[in-house]
Amino acid sequence: MDNFFGIQLGRFHLGFNRRTDDLTQMLRVGDPNGYTPITTPTEKWETIQNNEFKLYKGTSELFIPINRFATMVSNGVFKIKDYNTGKVIENHPLLMLLEKPNYLMNRNVWLEDIAVKYCIYGSSYTQKGKHSSLVDFPPFFFFFSNSELKLHYTGKLYNQKDLKDVLSKITIPDRKLEFLPEDLIIFRRPNPDNPLMGLSVIESVIMEVSNARGAKGFANTNIMQKGGTTLISPKGGDTIGATVLTDPEKQELEKQFTKDYGGVGDNKNRVKFSKKQMDVTHISYPIKEAMLFEERDATFLKTIDVLQLSKHIFSTKDTSKVSNNLKEGLIMSYQDSIMPFAEKLCYAINDSLGNFDKGYYV
């Protein structure tokens, strides 16, 4: 069982195991050579970063809906209630911490940070500052960069009573820091294949993301590098046959054409003069026929569906029904996506701080 579980941990980021560039390179999907199975049943660690952040920040079809989700989450306001009566406890000291969790963040920024990481990594980790047993809650909550953390597993999963029996520690090797599971608020998206590691939103739209980035790269080549998709051929000939360009002539034409005419910059010339008669044929594929925008729209809509948001809260080409659908879209998005997220987050906070045993909850 332990070996099997280790293999699953080694495969949790299908498709994100190869380097992608920051702009338009397509994503490699399902490359079996990228797997790094963990087969040792003893203590082991697994990195929780791959290429998710690069894809998130370099793909607008991910960035826009995920940030909209996070912004809507950040609109929430914490309240403390009595566990038995359900009545709001005014001016509870824990509210001060939730409103200003650390010296860099207020409540809104902290919630937005948690929501973004929850989407792109599937997990969010918050440090609870050290405090004495005489105080009910920590002095601060501090965020962690997912790319720095390493999770150390014991190799166990079933028949265990506590998380510390499965997850031995969390470390930041570069900073020589080490934490126990109880030192953190760990918040994860459900992952049926690995209950210890949250499932990234990007996992479910991996093919669509690859297509959208490929479509952008294709369009970018057509727009910015037309010199590389142009056929130049000599006209005319003699009694022997068609005129043939020498290798130096080919190299000079290619160099000059690409430098002077390839692309759409202001320093590019619009007219080419040649001493010889030439035919210039543009062989770039028609962008409209390639349906590039349809691929990008499909990725955007799929990401919205994964986040359980409504498409009506985003900009659209059809503005005639925006006002009518916006209100319904906001209601649906809050009911189906934001409110369930908020409830799960509050439970994670309450469970980690032991609030239920203290007679109150967030």
Side-chain angles (χ1 to χ4, degrees):
M1 178 270 139
D2 289 334
N3 285 342
F4 172 78
F5 183 55
I7 292 174
Q8 297 306 307
L9 289 177
R11 296 182 57 173
F12 76 91
H13 273 132
L14 172 61
F16 293 98
N17 37 45
R18 296 288 184 169
R19 175 181 173 84
T20 57
D21 69 322
D22 289 333
L23 296 175
T24 57
Q25 182 175 325
M26 290 189 293
L27 178 68
R28 292 180 181 268
V29 179
D31 186 346
N33 295 323
Y35 294 152
T36 308
I38 301 175
T39 57
T40 306
T42 57
E43 182 175 344
K44 48 189 173 285
W45 59 264
E46 173 78 1
T47 178
I48 63 172
Q49 186 210 25
N50 235 288
N51 285 320
E52 297 95 332
F53 183 68
K54 288 184 178 180
L55 293 171
Y56 156 73
K57 72 176 184 178
T59 310
S60 60
E61 292 78 13
L62 292 173
F63 188 91
I64 294 172
I66 287 176
N67 274 43
R68 184 61 186 271
F69 172 85
T71 300
M72 295 175 73
V73 168
S74 71
N75 289 331
V77 178
F78 287 112
K79 292 184 181 298
I80 309 296
K81 291 188 175 183
D82 185 277
Y83 184 79
N84 295 314
T85 66
K87 293 183 178 180
V88 175
I89 303 176
E90 301 290 348
N91 301 319
H92 193 284
L94 179 56
L95 284 176
M96 297 288 291
L97 173 62
L98 294 172
E99 288 296 314
K100 183 67 176 176
N102 58 69
Y103 66 91
L104 291 176
M105 295 177 169
N106 56 28
R107 164 178 49 86
N108 305 88
V109 178
W110 183 50
L111 286 174
E112 195 167 356
D113 181 77
I114 290 175
V116 169
K117 291 174 179 174
Y118 179 84
C119 291
I120 66 175
Y121 295 110
S123 305
S124 172
Y125 302 85
T126 300
Q127 178 194 4
K128 298 183 293 184
K130 296 289 185 180
H131 62 285
S132 70
S133 57
L134 301 177
V135 183
D136 279 349
F137 44 85
F140 64 84
F141 293 143
F142 203 75
F143 63 95
F144 277 135
S145 171
N146 287 44
S147 62
E148 293 185 309
L149 293 179
K150 296 188 184 300
L151 308 184
H152 298 252
Y153 300 105
T154 64
K156 302 175 183 179
L157 178 63
Y158 302 118
N159 299 321
Q160 306 303 313
K161 182 180 179 181
D162 199 278
L163 179 61
K164 63 184 178 182
D165 298 324
V166 179
L167 181 63
S168 61
K169 60 183 177 180
I170 299 95
T171 62
I172 304 180
D174 292 343
R175 301 179 186 275
K176 295 180 172 56
L177 295 175
E178 182 176 309
F179 305 92
L180 297 175
E182 55 265 32
D183 296 331
L184 308 179
I185 299 175
I186 303 176
F187 185 46
R188 297 180 293 266
R189 286 177 60 87
N191 185 346
D193 194 46
N194 180 1
L196 296 179
M197 184 66 64
L199 186 65
S200 170
V201 164
I202 304 174
E203 294 275 8
S204 60
V205 291
I206 187 171
M207 293 296 293
E208 287 83 358
V209 170
S210 180
N211 291 342
R213 291 170 68 84
K216 290 182 178 183
F218 187 90
N220 181 265
T221 298
N222 274 268
I223 295 171
M224 300 302 296
Q225 299 178 9
K226 288 184 178 180
T229 53
T230 303
L231 178 65
I232 302 175
S233 56
K235 294 179 64 176
D238 51 28
T239 56
I240 299 178
T243 301
V244 178
L245 292 175
T246 64
D247 288 341
E249 288 176 328
K250 292 177 184 178
Q251 294 173 4
E252 180 63 26
L253 277 172
E254 180 181 1
K255 180 180 179 181
Q256 183 181 354
F257 190 89
T258 303
K259 177 181 178 181
D260 295 343
Y261 312 98
V264 294
D266 291 337
N267 62 335
K268 303 297 182 180
N269 296 323
R270 303 298 190 265
V271 181
K272 163 67 179 171
F273 296 97
S274 174
K275 296 179 180 180
K276 292 186 177 182
Q277 289 186 324
M278 295 289 173
D279 276 334
V280 179
T281 305
H282 294 288
I283 56 175
S284 58
Y285 194 83
I287 292 181
K288 184 176 181 180
E289 294 182 21
M291 301 183 70
L292 304 180
F293 297 107
E294 286 79 0
E295 288 288 353
R296 295 169 59 182
D297 290 345
T299 304
F300 189 76
L301 291 174
K302 285 295 183 182
T303 305
I304 291 173
D305 287 341
V306 173
L307 294 172
Q308 295 181 290
L309 300 175
S310 169
K311 67 178 183 180
H312 299 300
I313 66 174
F314 296 90
S315 59
T316 176
K317 297 177 183 178
D318 183 10
T319 59
S320 60
K321 300 180 180 179
V322 169
S323 59
N324 295 331
N325 293 332
L326 179 58
K327 181 179 179 180
E328 294 300 321
L330 285 171
I331 292 174
M332 186 276 281
S333 297
Y334 273 104
Q335 288 181 343
D336 295 350
S337 183
I338 307 304
M339 291 171 65
F341 174 90
E343 290 179 355
K344 288 186 288 186
L345 175 60
C346 286
Y347 184 88
I349 295 173
N350 290 320
D351 184 57
S352 183
L353 297 181
N355 289 341
F356 298 123
D357 296 332
K358 301 170 186 174
Y360 58 84
Y361 63 95
V362 177

